[in-house]
């Protein structure tokens, strides 16, 4: 069974993290937050954006990037960045990989990206756009990783209340 992981490196905006948390709950994905955070994890805005899903979230908080690496030895990590040398569809996401996103104002530090060029990926955009919203970026890349893993453990068909699909 696929157990994907989303990592937010020093997230700053609670509503983005709340929205990402809700996406993680809906997909059975684990969320990892690397400090410093730009908000208190109990912040009402985080919980409001995640609605009633926040208590169902599998979330781990780390003191630093180094702490994250120490507690996840050997983890396959993809680094989502506007500076990536390849697109997010050019790689094969393993069923237990980690996909990291940087803080809203600056992204993932360039030293980390430079040391991990082979797993740095980007979402294609036109030249004059700085970046997409963080929660949108997470959804785009996460759903590609889920698609590659055949949406393992996910409900693939919806149901009507008053009719049956043909």
């Amino acid at each position: 069974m696929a157990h994907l992981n989303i990592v937010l490196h020093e997230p700053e905006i609670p509503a983005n993290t709340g929205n990402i948390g809700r996406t993680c709950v809906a997909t059975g994905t684990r969320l990892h937050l690397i400090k410093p955070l730009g908000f208190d994890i109990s912040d009402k805005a985080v919980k409001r954006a995640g609605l009633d899903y926040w208590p169902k979230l599998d979330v781990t908080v780390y003191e630093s990037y180094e702490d994250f690496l120490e507690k996840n030895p050997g983890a396959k990590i993809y680094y989502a960045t506007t500076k990536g040398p390849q697109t997010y569809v050019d790689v094969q996401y393993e069923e237990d990989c980690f996909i990291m996103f940087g803080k809203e104002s600056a992204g993932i530090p360039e030293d980390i990206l430079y040391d991990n060029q082979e797993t740095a990926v980007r979402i294609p955009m036109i030249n004059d756009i700085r970046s997409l919203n963080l929660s949108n970026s997470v959804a785009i890349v996460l759903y590609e990783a889920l698609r590659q893993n055949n949406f393992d453990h996910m409900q693939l068909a919806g149901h009507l209340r008053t009719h049956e699909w043909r």
Side-chain angles (χ1 to χ4, degrees):
M1 184 156 107
H3 288 290
L4 297 171
N5 298 273
I6 293 296
V7 182
L8 302 182
H9 186 273
E10 301 179 4
E12 299 167 315
I13 301 174
N16 282 336
T17 301
N19 287 330
I20 292 164
R22 183 175 180 164
T23 299
C24 287
V25 170
T27 59
T29 302
R30 297 178 185 119
L31 179 61
H32 304 261
L33 303 175
I34 298 175
K35 290 182 177 181
L37 307 180
F39 49 87
D40 181 346
I41 196 71
S42 64
D43 190 310
K44 289 180 184 177
V46 172
K47 292 181 180 176
R48 186 178 316 117
L51 298 170
D52 57 339
Y53 295 90
W54 195 257
K56 298 176 184 178
L57 180 62
D58 181 356
V59 61
T60 305
V61 180
Y62 303 89
E63 293 302 314
S64 65
Y65 177 67
E66 291 73 23
D67 182 39
F68 166 76
L69 292 177
E70 287 174 17
K71 291 180 177 164
N72 296 285
K76 179 68 174 198
I77 306 168
Y78 294 93
Y79 298 84
T81 172
T82 58
K83 301 165 184 154
Q86 59 193 332
T87 72
Y88 72 101
V89 298
D90 292 332
V91 298
Q92 179 62 45
Y93 299 95
E94 296 81 357
E95 64 181 25
D96 59 349
C97 71
F98 292 75
I99 308 168
M100 182 180 290
F101 296 81
K103 63 183 167 183
E104 291 88 342
S105 66
I108 298 169
E110 287 196 2
D111 288 345
I112 294 173
L113 296 174
Y114 184 78
D115 291 343
N116 296 283
Q117 296 175 47
E118 66 284 350
T119 57
V121 298
R122 66 174 278 116
I123 299 169
M125 295 176 287
I126 59 175
N127 289 337
D128 60 347
I129 299 297
R130 188 179 43 131
S131 66
L132 295 172
N133 173 275
L134 180 60
S135 61
N136 292 338
S137 297
V138 169
I140 289 167
V141 179
L142 174 58
Y143 267 86
E144 172 61 16
L146 290 165
R147 184 195 67 78
Q148 288 184 14
N149 284 277
N150 300 311
F151 298 107
D152 184 36
H153 76 278
M154 299 180 76
Q155 179 180 331
L156 298 179
H159 304 283
L160 299 173
R161 291 185 206 176
T162 59
H163 295 81
E164 292 291 326
W165 292 113
R166 295 178 211 209

